[in-house]
Amino acid sequence: MTAPSKRAAVAPDPLRLPDPRHASRVPVQLDAAAVERIRQAAYALPQVVRPADFIADGTPGFEDYLDDRGFILLQKVQPEQRPSRWIAPEDMQAALQHLDAVGSARGAHALMVERGRELDALGLSRQGRHWERRVTQTLSLGVAGVPGLPAGPTGLGLPVAFQAPVPAAAVWAFYRDGDADALRAALGPAPAYPHAAELTAHLDALLERSASNSPRQLDS
């Protein structure tokens, strides 16, 4: 009697990516259905980027820029209609969490735009693959009692603005829930300017030289 034939194994659903080469970049824990969720909601996901978020439009190799850096193409460019849309493999899990919390129904894109404006008001911005915040620290220069300087034990205070790294997880959480207080708590206190000692020493030397040569020009 002939033995019953074994049932053929069911092949996994293929990834419906615009560039099949990018299938190897997808994290192994994500199946085709998860990737398709991200692809269909690309317009409403804060994790999704365009080449213009990194380089100026018209730069040679514009459409290849993100490909060369390991991003995954979700939607091809439609000339005169929409830019291409990409995502970093490490941001795909956060994108799925976002869809679980916010969805992609009507109004989702407008909500993301509004929360992006709130981040901007807090001094947060995306720089390439990373997030940063603008921090201002006032350095106290050590020249006191010099004619032309404001009165006070520390002499002159100079505000210095710089960019400090921000954990992306804190930003993705804000995009999901809009909780600004939780975002501030996650960011913690503003970090100190890393080159404060060097800059203060340099400016002190300039002040001392100016005070000895031309005190009237200290304001400038």
Side-chain angles (χ1 to χ4, degrees), residues 95-138:
L96 290 170
Q97 293 174 346
H98 183 90
L99 289 174
D100 290 339
V102 181
S104 59
R106 178 176 300 205
H109 175 69
L111 180 61
M112 294 305 99
V113 171
E114 177 58 32
R115 288 181 179 169
R117 291 191 184 118
E118 293 182 56
L119 290 172
D120 185 63
L122 292 171
L124 274 67
S125 60
R126 188 168 187 167
Q127 304 296 327
R129 290 192 173 192
H130 309 289
W131 284 87
E132 297 178 347
R133 63 168 163 168
R134 187 174 185 270
V135 179
T136 300
Q137 177 183 341
T138 299

Side-chain angles (χ1 to χ4, degrees), residues 119-203:
L119 290 172
D120 185 63
L122 292 171
L124 274 67
S125 60
R126 188 168 187 167
Q127 304 296 327
R129 290 192 173 192
H130 309 289
W131 284 87
E132 297 178 347
R133 63 168 163 168
R134 187 174 185 270
V135 179
T136 300
Q137 177 183 341
T138 299
L139 302 181
S140 295
L141 305 184
V143 182
V146 177
L149 287 180
T154 59
L156 186 66
L158 178 71
V160 176
F162 61 99
Q163 299 293 116
V166 168
V171 178
W172 301 146
F174 175 76
Y175 270 119
R176 290 194 300 269
D177 56 33
D179 190 335
D181 290 336
L183 174 61
R184 293 188 185 94
L187 295 178
Y193 179 55
H195 308 294
E198 296 90 336
L199 180 56
T200 298
H202 175 68
L203 293 175

Side-chain angles (χ1 to χ4, degrees), residues 12-16 26 29-41 92 96 99:
D13 292 336
L15 297 175
R16 297 175 57 190
V26 175
Q29 69 270 24
L30 301 187
D31 59 17
V35 175
E36 186 63 13
R37 282 185 72 197
I38 295 173
R39 199 177 70 82
Q40 292 295 333
M92 296 184 81
L96 290 170
L99 289 174

Side-chain angles (χ1 to χ4, degrees), residues 16-19 22 36-45 48-51 63 72-78 82-87:
R16 297 175 57 190
L17 292 172
D19 190 333
H22 294 174
E36 186 63 13
R37 282 185 72 197
I38 295 173
R39 199 177 70 82
Q40 292 295 333
Y43 72 97
L45 286 169
V48 171
V49 295
R50 308 161 300 168
E63 280 299 327
I72 296 170
L73 178 63
L74 299 175
Q75 294 178 359
K76 291 183 178 180
V77 61
Q78 296 291 330
R82 74 179 186 202
S84 59
R85 294 187 171 102
W86 306 69
I87 191 169

